[in-house]
Amino acid sequence: MTASDAARRAAADRAWAELRPQLAAEAQAALGEEVDAFLARAELALFDVHEPLAVLYDEPDALMATAFRIVLAAAADRPAALRRLDRRREIDPGWFQRSRMQGYVCYVDHFCGTLDRLPEHLDYLAELGTTYLHLMPLLRPREGENDGGYAVADYRAVDPRLGTMADLERVAGALHERDMSLCIDLVLNHTAREHPWAQAWLAGDPAYAGFYSAFPDRQVPDAYDATIPEVFPDRAPGSFSWVPEACGGAGGWVWTTFWPYQWDLDYTNPAVTLAMLGEIVWLANRGVDVFRMDAVPFMGKRLGTTCQNQPEVHTLLQLLHALTRVAAPGVVFKAEAIVAPDDLVPYLGGHERYRPECELAYHNSLMVLLWSSLATQDARLARHALGRMRPIPPTTTWVTYVRGHDDIGWAVTDEDAAAIGVGGHSHRRFLNDFFAGHYPASSARGALFQENALTGDARISGSAASLCGIEDALERGDDAALEAGIRRLVLLYSVAFAWGGIPLLYMGDEIALLNDDRYLADPSRAPDNRWMHRPVMDWAAAQRRTDPTTLEGRVFGRIRQLGEVRRSQLALHGGAESTVFDAGSDAVLAWRRRSARSGTFVGLANFSATPQVVDADTVTGFGAFAPVLTSDGPPEVAGGRLVVPGLGFAWLAEP
Ligand code: GLC
């Protein structure tokens, strides 16, 4: 411990000694026999609460007293069924790391219409092996344009078009009965400008003073904008929006990182942090197991920086995390930090020393590198970039995915590109051209998103199936191309399912749903082409999933099998680290996993269309290894060499 660590601990201990008698009495009255467990959790979290408060704000002792009272009230309100779940998870804190964990992500309206219809579809989800359901934004958004629900007007109400909070609680209960967990989005960087906090701030209500920030002229905004990359350059350039009612009616530039109707909360104000804590624990008590912490890199602002991944962001997440788990120890956080590889691991608490932060984080790098490897038919960039990522804390794990509701931004660093002899900018440009289908050799049917004429940057929209060439093959009636498209899709998922961590299946990918252009008819969606890969579930197509002669049957069967085999593999427990290695072919991504409780697992994914030979010595020496799942039946092994078919994969494990 450094001297300042010791001093901070002493300060935390002093504050606790002062608070404890009174808090214990209140907890006794509110919780009865659960008082000891609550106080034990609070004491365990003490340093993770007090230190961040001391780093971020003045008067940490008083803030800690208020914060503990918020979580005490939430603990007292926590329904009995959720307390039982908490107890199980306190005994089994790595519950989210098990290889039985498998996710499914969907929009409620696009999947089943309304929340009350969702339980009817749990058999379908169970058939796939789902144990974790992420329902896309469902809290009450503003009217009109709302960024797909990411402009929240009320954290304590469900979007009336989807149902009610009581419906959501029933969904959580139905999931828990089947040992499935519920994930929802928590948008904490900003609220809708219609949110009561924003309206009260605008009206000058002193209780909400400093909840948001506004500047009377362009001086400060220009200074910040000089170094902040734009998220939506085409329709929302800059990070500030002019609001005539701001600054006491004189007008001002309000901080709006995303769309002008999404107002950034000002977390330098402790009242904001405590207000958000109140919303989190309230939602936790409705039965939410996992919070997807939306757009967290943007929560801290520093002049002269990109205003992403600033130290305050991590301190804030650590604080909210520690406090939430005093009230609801079964709840975990998932970071949505779509950032460069070096910036990603800290969201899992991987700092100079471990600091509990989020248990889960999207493995954005893996996702991007999978698509990049597919385009180049070459896994060297993936091998290099993944190989130099820092290990993650063993109590956390990744969320691995192929496709989500957002565009794909090519988070490939110039350094990583240079290491394999390509230019970063030109490679990113190639990927955009490739997936937008601008090359004759590409069968991908994506579209450019947020093309920036100034910088030449862009990102890609499009459904996984369409990006894999399935749409193109169907249109041309080309059976061989269709099979290749299916193989690409399954190949990508074979890595996501065996990398370690929770694999997410994005709704529709299991039956190869294509780009959906119906969004163009809705003026509030038409300008945002991310809607092309947010299709409506085609239940008639899903009916065909049991017929192996159909497209749906061919994809569904293989994806389902990935989950089935995954569950049997101890080495796919999320606590173990994946190590990439060179298996002797540039086209093959090879990785190895070993946990304290298991033998070694090896995954091989061939991104080229032609068979690749990998060397047994570099892999493991196949003698002791058995294929547990392969794309094309028993692999050909000859003379210490194993053949991975074109666009094929192999999972091998020590028996
Ligand atoms: C996240 C969401 C994205 C949204 C943004 C702003 O990145 O995934 O869809 O636009 O946050 O809330």
Side-chain angles (χ1 to χ4, degrees):
M1 265 196 331
T2 63
S4 71
D5 270 350
R8 284 178 181 160
R9 270 187 199 270
D13 285 339
R14 270 198 307 277
W16 181 243
E18 198 161 301
L19 175 66
R20 193 182 190 283
Q22 181 60 32
L23 189 71
E26 291 170 30
Q28 175 69 55
L31 297 173
E33 63 181 20
E34 287 192 38
V35 61
D36 296 326
F38 175 83
L39 289 175
R41 290 201 298 272
E43 206 157 337
L44 211 58
L46 172 65
F47 191 60
D48 295 331
V49 172
H50 193 273
E51 192 201 24
L53 286 172
V55 169
L56 294 169
Y57 307 121
D58 297 333
E59 305 195 28
D61 295 9
L63 288 173
M64 183 171 87
T66 309
F68 274 142
R69 289 194 168 99
I70 293 173
V71 293
L72 170 59
D77 282 346
R78 192 144 171 88
L82 297 178
R83 293 188 200 199
R84 281 206 301 277
L85 201 55
D86 287 339
R87 200 147 310 135
R88 269 172 51 195
R89 290 176 177 170
E90 283 182 295
I91 294 167
D92 178 19
W95 61 274
F96 56 86
Q97 296 180 311
R98 295 180 177 274
S99 60
R100 70 178 286 278
M101 293 302 288
Q102 184 184 315
Y104 192 81
V105 185
C106 62
Y107 286 92
V108 173
D109 51 351
H110 288 187
F111 182 63
C112 59
T114 46
L115 278 168
D116 59 347
R117 306 288 307 271
L118 203 135
E120 294 165 29
H121 297 282
L122 292 184
D123 285 341
Y124 176 80
L125 295 178
E127 194 182 324
L128 276 166
T130 311
T131 56
Y132 167 111
L133 181 62
H134 173 192
L135 297 177
M136 293 297 291
L138 46 68
L139 301 179
R140 190 169 72 74
R142 71 191 292 269
E143 293 297 320
E145 247 190 88
N146 60 35
D147 190 27
Y150 287 100
V152 178
D154 185 352
Y155 293 95
R156 300 199 184 196
V158 163
D159 183 341
R161 287 164 290 208
L162 305 178
T164 63
M165 201 43 87
D167 292 333
L168 183 65
E169 289 183 74
R170 274 189 289 273
V171 165
L175 289 170
H176 291 154
E177 256 170 48
R178 292 183 179 230
D179 218 356
M180 297 179 180
S181 49
L182 172 65
C183 169
I184 71 165
D185 289 81
L186 187 82
V187 186
L188 62 173
N189 177 67
H190 44 264
T191 68
R193 70 168 173 225
E194 289 76 8
H195 191 284
W197 297 346
Q199 289 306 306
W201 170 76
L202 206 57
D205 181 339
Y208 294 90
F211 261 56
Y212 304 81
S213 25
F215 305 93
D217 55 44
R218 284 297 310 177
Q219 197 186 338
V220 177
D222 282 344
Y224 276 103
D225 269 346
T227 53
I228 300 180
E230 291 168 323
V231 181
F232 299 128
D234 71 347
R235 290 176 60 233
S239 295
F240 301 85
S241 302
W242 179 254
V243 176
E245 304 88 343
C247 294
W253 293 93
V254 173
W255 204 306
T256 59
T257 298
F258 295 87
W259 301 111
Y261 51 78
Q262 288 165 312
W263 289 6
D264 287 37
L265 286 159
D266 183 352
Y267 282 93
T268 63
N269 176 359
V272 170
T273 309
L274 294 180
M276 193 50 84
L277 171 67
E279 304 307 77
I280 298 174
V281 290
W282 190 87
L283 285 166
N285 281 352
R286 309 282 78 75
V288 175
D289 302 285
V290 181
F291 285 100
R292 172 189 178 279
M293 307 299 267
D294 179 66
V296 284
F298 303 88
M299 287 164 69
K301 279 86 173 163
R302 282 191 183 201
L303 193 64
T305 71
T306 58
C307 293
Q308 289 187 39
N309 312 311
Q310 296 305 306
E312 294 78 17
V313 165
H314 295 289
T315 314
L316 268 168
L317 284 172
Q318 288 155 18
L319 174 66
L320 290 172
H321 176 259
L323 285 164
T324 299
R325 286 171 57 94
V326 175
V331 166
V332 301
F333 282 4
K334 172 172 67 167
E336 192 247 346
I338 307 305
V339 297
D342 289 341
D343 295 322
L344 196 48
V345 177
Y347 288 93
L348 290 170
H351 301 278
E352 73 295 350
R353 66 179 151 82
Y354 173 55
R355 291 167 181 273
E357 196 164 322
C358 295
E359 285 82 359
L360 301 168
Y362 284 87
H363 203 329
N364 169 56
S365 302
L366 178 65
M367 182 276 288
V368 162
L369 291 162
L370 290 180
W371 288 105
S372 167
S373 306
L374 205 59
T376 55
Q377 303 201 25
D378 187 324
R380 278 177 305 153
L381 181 60
R383 189 195 305 153
H384 173 80
L386 293 166
R388 67 171 199 86
M389 273 182 83
R390 285 171 23 219
I392 61 173
T395 49
T396 67
T397 198
W398 293 115
V399 169
T400 53
Y401 64 116
V402 169
R403 214 48 207 97
H405 73 290
D406 277 324
D407 48 289
I408 305 174
W410 303 113
V412 171
T413 64
D414 292 346
E415 297 75 38
D416 286 338
I420 62 145
V422 297
H425 188 75
S426 59
H427 183 60
R428 291 188 292 271
R429 186 156 239 173
F430 160 74
L431 293 172
N432 281 324
D433 285 338
F434 184 90
F435 287 108
H438 294 167
Y439 281 116
S442 165
S443 57
R445 285 288 181 87
L448 295 181
F449 178 67
Q450 297 296 322
E451 196 175 4
N452 188 333
L454 238 54
T455 58
D457 289 339
R459 284 121 68 185
I460 281 289
S461 284
S463 82
S466 293
L467 294 176
C468 283
I470 293 177
E471 184 174 339
D472 179 72
L474 288 171
E475 262 172 30
R476 292 191 294 110
D478 181 334
D479 282 347
L482 182 61
E483 175 59 16
I486 295 173
R487 291 179 73 82
R488 287 190 197 101
L489 183 60
V490 174
L491 175 69
L492 297 186
Y493 271 106
S494 81
V495 184
F497 271 67
W499 188 260
I502 306 180
L504 299 184
L505 190 50
Y506 183 64
M507 188 207 85
D509 286 355
E510 73 276 23
I511 52 167
L513 286 190
L514 307 176
N515 293 336
D516 187 337
D517 63 10
R518 276 171 282 187
Y519 76 99
L520 291 169
D522 176 347
S524 78
R525 294 183 172 177
D528 187 339
N529 74 14
R530 289 178 297 175
W531 286 100
M532 72 195 276
H533 54 259
R534 298 170 184 173
V536 176
M537 187 59 176
D538 184 344
W539 287 106
Q543 285 293 326
R544 296 192 285 272
R545 68 189 182 276
T546 48
D547 178 351
T549 64
T550 62
L551 167 63
E552 295 79 11
R554 285 156 79 183
V555 176
F556 190 95
R558 296 188 219 185
I559 300 259
R560 187 183 150 172
Q561 202 182 24
L562 294 175
E564 230 166 64
V565 176
R566 169 186 154 80
R567 285 191 282 286
S568 70
Q569 296 301 305
L570 271 182
L572 295 181
H573 182 277
E577 199 50 46
S578 276
T579 319
V580 283
F581 62 93
D582 184 348
S585 160
D586 285 346
V588 174
L589 180 66
W591 70 102
R592 193 184 282 128
R593 296 180 59 79
R594 178 197 282 282
S595 77
R597 300 287 301 276
S598 73
T600 302
F601 172 98
V602 168
L604 300 168
N606 176 7
F607 288 91
S608 92
T610 55
Q612 297 292 312
V613 176
V614 291
D615 200 333
D617 291 341
T618 54
V619 177
T620 48
F622 290 123
F625 274 70
V628 289
L629 185 66
T630 55
S631 50
D632 300 81
E636 207 183 296
V637 185
R641 290 155 88 76
L642 179 139
V643 180
V644 190
L647 298 173
F649 71 90
W651 293 356
L652 313 166
E654 277 177 321

